[in-house]
Amino acid sequence: MQTDRELIQKYNVPGPRYTSYPTAVQFQEIDNPANVVHTLKKRNSEPRNVSLYFHVPFCFSLCWYCGCTKIITKNTDRGDVYIDYLVKEMDLVKEQFHPQSKVIQLHMGGGTPTFLKPDQLRRLGSEIKKRFTYHPEIEFSVEIDPRTCSKEHVGALAEIGVNRASLGVQDTNEEVQKAIHRIQPFEQTEQVTRWLREAWINSINFDLIYGLPKQTLETFQQTLRDVQTLHPDRLAVYSYAHLPNLMPSQKLLNEDEFPSPDEKLSMLMLAINTLENDGYRYIGMDHFSKEGDELTKALEEGTLQRNFQGYSTHANTDMYALGMSGISMVDSIYYQNTKDLDAYYTELDDGSLPVVKQMMLREDDRIRRDWISRLMCKPNVHFTDFEQRWGVDPKEYFANEWNRLDELEEDELIIVLDNQIQITTRGRLFLRNIAMVFDAYLSPDKQTQRYSKTV
């Protein structure tokens, strides 16, 4: 049997992250968002629980590793104008909702939502609540940059109902921070974490990255030790993806300072072993959560799902993304807002949704989406459940792909039984590779550097 290290070297190839299927690279340009509006109205003929995402694109400074859609500025007054236009977009989206629909999940991401001043956060929260009905069990999360978050920010977030927070940490070593142009003393992370808990925002996630310049196994081990002292409920430990042709800011990094592939692999193994020994469950796709956390429970109960924010505990909810570059997932349609801020403003001034790309899913897309989602989110994928929903036997429907499972089974990533596929503990490390088998848009000649590596 091959070791985990050998398997990672074997399977570490470019591939999608499957926050959606089909992936965003399949989206097509559109001239008129009228079809989107028609689809939304049809979808909302009955009340349903929905998820809202608000993209706040502004950051005070550029982190050189970052691949997010962002605008670098120190002018916080731009936040007022941006909220004005979010309000316009909210009004257009709300028109498509059934009056009895409720928001079960709300997330603010970026950029940096804490770029906004406390009063701006209060205003944004107020404008959202005026227009949408919150579910009594709403999960309201926000991404926080500890460098730009004051106690007043935390107070404002608590006032508008935030109950989950995700803090960008990346690495606690000063030399690594200098190399990526993100100076963040650990005391800042510690202080913001304390403020959040004092404000009863108790569900806290930290984002870390391994494979950054100047990182070593020893420095990354210290980063893990540092964050463990704060006992976050969840951790996302991402593999740094160096794609400078797609993300120009990454050209500012010194490639001579990157850890070797073997060192990077050692960091991943260290993170898995350290966190599992500390009581965290490896959910898959870089995510860890404490035993007893809702994410862990959702994995065990089979209610886990993935969307453009990663893993979610709320299954079968449409997600509406507002703000520039936001990607929405509504049943059989995906659509994306423009990434150009001026164009975003112009479309809303004209009374139109600022949609520039979409994808209407075919029946095959929907079947494969459900199958891939089950593989990514369930420890056991039962054939009978799938057949009852779609009226197809997965072994027959995916006959062309089925023989490719033999190698995955030989490597002990999955166990194929008569009525189910079991994802092994080892297999959770390779979920992207397992899903790639069933991706109709992915062939060997299409595995280009548009994707990050799978492990």
Side-chain angles (χ1 to χ4, degrees):
M1 183 183 73
Q2 297 188 76
T3 66
D4 286 344
R5 179 179 295 273
E6 291 171 332
L7 287 174
I8 289 172
Q9 291 171 335
K10 174 181 178 179
Y11 285 104
N12 195 23
V13 298
R17 295 187 62 82
Y18 295 111
T19 49
S20 73
Y21 180 85
T23 63
V25 298
Q26 306 300 330
F27 294 4
Q28 301 293 318
E29 301 281 345
I30 61 171
D31 296 323
N32 191 319
N35 287 340
V36 173
V37 173
H38 174 75
T39 302
L40 298 188
K41 286 184 176 179
K42 183 178 179 181
R43 176 65 172 169
N44 287 283
S45 60
E46 297 179 356
R48 61 182 67 251
N49 290 335
V50 300
S51 173
L52 296 180
Y53 170 74
F54 289 84
H55 186 75
V56 180
F58 305 110
C59 290
F60 287 108
S61 62
L62 179 65
C63 299
W64 292 347
Y65 62 86
C66 181
C68 299
T69 301
K70 69 273 184 184
I71 295 171
I72 308 302
T73 179
K74 295 186 182 299
N75 181 6
T76 55
D77 290 342
R78 296 184 70 176
D80 291 313
V81 177
Y82 190 73
I83 293 171
D84 290 340
Y85 282 87
L86 283 177
V87 168
K88 291 185 177 186
E89 189 178 5
M90 278 189 263
D91 286 337
L92 292 174
V93 171
K94 181 179 181 294
E95 288 178 7
Q96 321 311 325
F97 277 24
H98 190 282
Q100 296 177 19
S101 289
K102 295 180 180 179
V103 178
I104 187 72
Q105 190 175 44
L106 198 163
H107 183 74
M108 293 182 183
T112 305
T114 50
F115 170 90
L116 299 176
K117 294 179 287 189
D119 282 347
Q120 290 172 329
L121 287 169
R122 291 187 182 93
R123 180 190 165 207
L124 177 56
S126 175
E127 298 288 2
I128 296 170
K129 197 163 188 179
K130 284 178 187 176
R131 289 163 176 79
F132 302 100
T133 302
Y134 288 3
H135 191 281
E137 298 178 4
I138 185 173
E139 177 186 291
F140 190 163
S141 58
V142 64
E143 296 171 15
I144 289 176
D145 182 344
R147 301 172 302 163
T148 64
C149 185
S150 66
K151 190 172 185 179
E152 289 70 30
H153 280 93
V154 172
L157 293 173
E159 286 177 34
I160 65 175
V162 169
N163 51 30
R164 295 183 182 274
S166 181
L167 278 64
V169 178
Q170 322 316 343
D171 192 284
T172 64
N173 181 270
E174 184 177 0
E175 292 304 310
V176 176
Q177 293 176 2
K178 289 178 181 177
I180 62 175
H181 199 240
R182 184 189 174 98
I183 304 300
Q184 182 177 318
F186 184 63
E187 290 75 17
Q188 287 182 325
T189 302
E190 191 175 32
Q191 179 67 81
V192 172
T193 302
R194 186 181 307 116
W195 286 335
L196 288 166
R197 288 181 171 142
E198 289 172 353
W200 297 100
I201 302 175
N202 288 317
S203 182
I204 295 174
N205 171 77
F206 290 161
D207 286 345
L208 304 180
I209 300 177
Y210 65 95
L212 294 171
K214 290 286 186 80
Q215 272 184 336
T216 67
L217 189 61
E218 290 72 26
T219 65
F220 191 63
Q221 184 174 43
Q222 186 59 52
T223 291
L224 291 170
R225 288 174 182 157
D226 289 339
V227 298
Q228 283 177 289
T229 65
L230 301 182
H231 308 292
D233 301 271
R234 302 175 186 176
L235 280 152
V237 186
Y238 296 111
S239 169
Y240 171 68
H242 192 58
L243 302 170
N245 291 334
L246 297 177
M247 304 170 190
S249 66
Q250 294 184 349
K251 295 177 182 178
L252 297 168
L253 299 172
N254 185 345
E255 294 187 3
D256 293 334
E257 295 178 342
F258 284 119
S260 68
D262 193 60
E263 288 174 316
K264 187 177 179 183
L265 174 56
S266 295
M267 293 177 197
L268 172 60
M269 302 307 300
L270 174 68
I272 293 173
N273 293 333
T274 300
L275 295 175
E276 287 187 338
N277 288 337
D278 196 33
Y280 290 88
R281 177 81 170 269
Y282 184 51
I283 300 298
M285 290 293 297
D286 319 308
H287 285 67
F288 299 80
S289 60
K290 284 184 176 179
E291 295 292 345
D293 183 85
E294 289 184 10
L295 211 58
T296 305
K297 291 178 182 177
L299 173 65
E300 294 170 345
E301 296 169 0
T303 59
L304 195 66
Q305 74 162 17
R306 280 185 68 73
N307 58 32
F308 284 103
Q309 276 72 63
Y311 280 113
S312 168
T313 58
H314 295 287
N316 303 317
T317 56
D318 293 335
M319 190 187 78
Y320 297 82
L322 294 89
M324 60 172 282
S325 80
I327 301 178
S328 300
M329 304 173 64
V330 183
D331 191 35
S332 60
I333 183 173
Y334 300 152
Y335 62 92
Q336 183 173 20
N337 287 351
T338 176
K339 294 182 178 181
D340 181 273
L341 186 61
D342 289 337
Y344 174 75
Y345 290 163
T346 298
E347 289 297 316
L348 289 168
D349 280 336
D350 291 342
S352 299
L353 288 173
V355 180
V356 294
K357 290 184 178 183
Q358 71 170 11
M359 181 163 191
M360 302 294 294
L361 274 64
R362 305 168 301 170
E363 182 75 358
D364 179 67
D365 294 328
R366 298 176 68 198
I367 290 172
R368 289 177 184 271
R369 175 178 66 177
D370 184 32
W371 182 253
I372 287 173
S373 177
R374 290 169 189 250
L375 291 170
M376 302 286 282
C377 298
K378 297 178 183 292
N380 303 309
V381 181
H382 295 276
F383 302 163
T384 303
D385 295 344
F386 184 80
E387 187 170 358
Q388 287 175 346
R389 177 170 182 181
W390 296 104
V392 298
D393 181 337
K395 289 180 286 188
E396 295 178 2
Y397 192 85
F398 300 118
N400 292 334
E401 293 88 357
W402 211 256
N403 63 348
R404 294 169 60 191
L405 298 179
D406 292 344
E407 186 175 8
L408 300 179
E409 189 166 27
E410 288 174 6
D411 288 333
E412 299 187 359
L413 309 186
I414 60 174
I415 300 171
V416 182
L417 303 175
D418 289 340
N419 63 345
Q420 65 179 282
I421 291 178
Q422 296 179 353
I423 310 297
T424 67
T425 300
R426 169 184 277 187
R428 300 213 67 76
L429 187 61
F430 303 96
L431 290 175
R432 291 165 72 177
N433 304 85
I434 298 170
M436 286 166 66
V437 171
F438 300 94
D439 190 333
Y441 296 92
L442 198 64
S443 58
D445 62 324
K446 294 180 181 178
Q447 290 183 23
T448 67
Q449 287 303 313
R450 73 176 70 181
Y451 300 118
S452 62
K453 289 195 173 181
T454 55
V455 184

